[in-house]
Amino acid sequence: ENELRGIRGQFPMLQHWVYLNAADQMIPGKYWIDAMRHVLALYEGGRIEDDAPYGPATHPFLTPVFFETIRKGAKLIHAKPEEVTNNYRVMTGANLIINDLIEWKKGDNVVFTDMDYPSIPYILLNLRRKYGVELRRISNVNGEILISDLEKAVDDRTKLVVVNHTMPWSGFTYDVREVSRIAHEHGAYVLNDAIQAVGAIDIDVHKDDVDFLLTGSYKWQCGPEGAGIFYIREDLIEEFDPDFRNYIWADVPGGIPFGSPEHDNIKHWDYPLVKNANRFEMGTTTTPILFGWNATLDFLLSIGIKRIERRVRALGDYAYDRLSEIGCKVVTPEDRRKRHGLIVYTTGNVKLDKKSFEFFNAPPVGHKPIKVSLRFVGGIGGIRVSTHFFNTKEDIDYLVELQERVLKEST
């Protein structure tokens, strides 16, 4: 109880809201706000240098924190540091992977689903227009993607299989290792958009055998918006030579030669990119955000992702059961192996779902608002509840209490 009180104390907005909305975005954590304030205070004091031993520099990659976030991000997903670099958000990394790294030609196909978050399908639409790539979209079955349907969709012309590790619209969570097995049998890559899973459950990229994993820092990861993880499997790093060239990651012997009187902007730069995941780093993160992200990773790792997962799943189970008890239809799969704390339910009536959502946001005087989301895609959806490790059973009971009130008033 004392530990939970301390954790909840890191999120001051919990004094004013019942927050069940980590799948949308997280409320600010004191740990990352303080870290960013520290950077800004150093800026204000004139501490901005080309070569900073610690603190803000003219560029984030000149700070030790840039590399600390890589090591800690790798630890969070059980990767090697060489396989990870910093990334702005899923859409940024996905554009590089799909539009730069993978070579497409007419007759190729890409497999995805009607529940994938639209940031990647929007990129895929351009492949169809530009190269004539076939888009094979699997339809959900009551909010789930059947492995048998995925297996039918993948063939030897499949270049890429896209998965959302956890679906933002239903909470369905893949057996990603099985997806990788199917894809790799046909020589296809697997791209895992894991933004709705990293920070909530323990993900091991090596056990899952994915080729790429992307996430952002601002949802279940409990960090500031503007950072995240780009993972590429080690044996693929040198397979790809990106057209996006970040000169910072040229493998220049002796490092950047700006201090040399003989510096030549061709001769001294005519080297390949480094042989780690930084060759895919696009310079999209900023120093204050990275300091906040570094503090966030410290926070998550100090609690322990396995402990976080146990609590997230237990609260997800509790929400699933309580909502079912009052007659709501839970869209999220009943099978515990196919879900965690992202629970979607409906009253059975879209208008009543919207009325409930509005009531949660603006309850009667003297009641705390409840922050949840209202989400639909592919013919499924409803009210989305996110039970994270800082939440309590009392939060869920309060949600159920207000939901029951709306149901009774509607009859």
Side-chain angles (χ1 to χ4, degrees):
E1 286 299 318
N2 287 337
E3 183 182 19
L4 181 60
R5 192 177 301 113
I7 288 170
R8 288 177 62 84
Q10 289 292 324
F11 305 103
M13 287 307 298
L14 293 180
Q15 299 173 52
H16 311 289
W17 295 338
V18 170
Y19 200 79
L20 293 162
N21 207 23
D24 182 41
Q25 63 179 35
M26 260 304 291
I27 48 178
K30 288 171 65 177
Y31 48 89
W32 65 257
I33 290 285
D34 289 346
M36 291 175 67
R37 280 184 177 143
H38 175 63
V39 173
L40 297 176
L42 290 171
Y43 279 167
E44 191 175 27
R47 293 287 297 167
I48 182 167
E49 308 170 16
D50 277 343
D51 187 15
Y54 191 81
T58 47
H59 303 291
F61 50 78
L62 295 174
T63 67
V65 169
F66 184 92
F67 300 93
E68 288 174 21
T69 55
I70 288 174
R71 290 193 295 271
K72 294 168 188 175
K75 184 176 182 180
L76 186 63
I77 60 172
H78 302 280
K80 297 179 181 178
E82 295 78 18
E83 299 174 304
V84 168
T85 191
N86 289 306
N87 184 48
Y88 173 57
R89 61 194 305 168
V90 170
M91 176 272 298
T92 316
N95 264 287
L96 180 76
I97 293 164
I98 295 167
N99 290 326
D100 190 336
L101 304 189
I102 299 175
E103 294 183 7
W104 301 93
K105 59 182 181 295
K106 190 175 179 62
D108 291 338
N109 70 72
V110 55
V111 174
F112 64 111
T113 84
D114 65 350
M115 289 200 300
D116 289 350
Y117 191 79
S119 59
I120 294 181
Y122 187 71
I123 301 169
L124 301 180
L125 284 169
N126 199 47
L127 295 181
R128 183 169 65 185
R129 284 190 292 264
K130 195 170 183 179
Y131 302 109
V133 170
E134 180 187 355
L135 306 188
R136 294 187 176 177
R137 188 173 70 161
I138 302 168
S139 297
N140 77 86
V141 178
N142 299 320
E144 295 189 39
I145 300 301
L146 304 183
I147 287 293
S148 57
D149 288 343
L150 186 139
E151 200 156 17
K152 291 172 189 173
V154 178
D155 63 21
D156 291 343
R157 296 303 302 272
T158 304
K159 273 285 183 72
L160 179 68
V161 176
V162 176
V163 295
N164 285 197
H165 198 118
T166 296
M167 292 294 183
W169 323 94
S170 72
F172 167 73
T173 299
Y174 276 102
D175 177 349
V176 177
R177 183 177 178 85
E178 182 64 9
V179 174
S180 296
R181 181 192 66 78
I182 293 166
H184 292 159
E185 281 181 357
H186 294 277
Y189 299 113
V190 176
L191 168 54
N192 185 6
D193 172 353
I195 199 167
Q196 296 291 0
V198 172
I201 59 176
D202 187 21
I203 290 176
D204 187 324
V205 288
H206 293 154
K207 286 183 179 177
D208 287 343
D209 200 24
V210 295
D211 303 295
F212 307 98
L213 177 142
L214 301 170
T215 188
S217 52
Y218 62 101
K219 294 183 185 285
W220 298 88
Q221 299 81 30
C222 301
E225 196 273 342
I229 296 169
F230 179 110
Y231 162 83
I232 179 170
R233 208 176 70 220
E234 185 177 28
D235 61 304
L236 295 178
I237 291 171
E238 292 185 63
E239 179 178 319
F240 296 111
D241 190 28
D243 289 331
F244 188 100
R245 313 296 279 189
N246 186 341
Y247 75 105
I248 293 301
W249 304 116
D251 201 4
V252 178
I256 295 175
F258 287 171
S260 170
E262 289 79 33
H263 177 211
D264 182 278
N265 68 355
I266 290 293
K267 182 177 71 175
H268 287 103
W269 293 91
D270 193 13
Y271 293 96
L273 290 162
V274 294
K275 296 178 180 179
N276 57 53
N278 282 331
R279 71 194 279 128
F280 309 109
E281 198 273 325
M282 294 182 284
T284 54
T285 51
T286 63
T287 301
I289 294 296
L290 280 179
F291 269 69
W293 178 223
N294 193 47
T296 300
L297 290 166
D298 283 338
F299 182 64
L300 293 175
L301 292 170
S302 68
I303 298 169
I305 191 61
K306 292 184 187 298
R307 293 180 68 213
I308 289 172
E309 177 176 358
R310 283 196 297 270
R311 185 165 179 84
V312 167
R313 288 189 181 277
L315 290 170
D317 291 346
Y318 187 71
Y320 188 103
D321 293 341
R322 292 287 282 115
L323 290 163
S324 299
E325 286 170 7
I326 64 169
C328 292
K329 178 186 177 184
V330 182
V331 177
T332 305
E334 184 178 4
D335 187 342
R336 295 184 72 254
R337 296 170 298 179
K338 297 180 181 179
R339 58 177 163 89
H340 55 76
L342 196 162
I343 306 297
V344 180
Y345 75 95
T346 176
T347 62
N349 181 296
V350 173
K351 288 184 179 180
L352 194 54
D353 288 347
K354 291 181 178 178
K355 182 179 178 180
S356 302
F357 176 71
E358 291 165 0
F359 185 72
F360 297 156
N361 271 296
V365 174
H367 290 72
K368 279 187 179 181
I370 302 173
K371 297 298 179 180
V372 292
S373 293
L374 190 66
R375 293 290 186 270
F376 300 92
V377 80
I380 55 95
I383 297 167
R384 185 177 68 189
V385 177
S386 308
T387 64
H388 214 341
F389 63 97
F390 56 83
N391 287 122
T392 64
K393 287 185 175 181
E394 288 75 19
D395 290 341
I396 296 162
D397 289 338
Y398 179 57
L399 170 75
V400 171
E401 176 190 329
L402 293 194
Q403 183 61 79
E404 275 192 299
R405 180 169 173 175
V406 175
L407 291 171
K408 288 175 181 176
E409 289 177 357
S410 70
T411 56

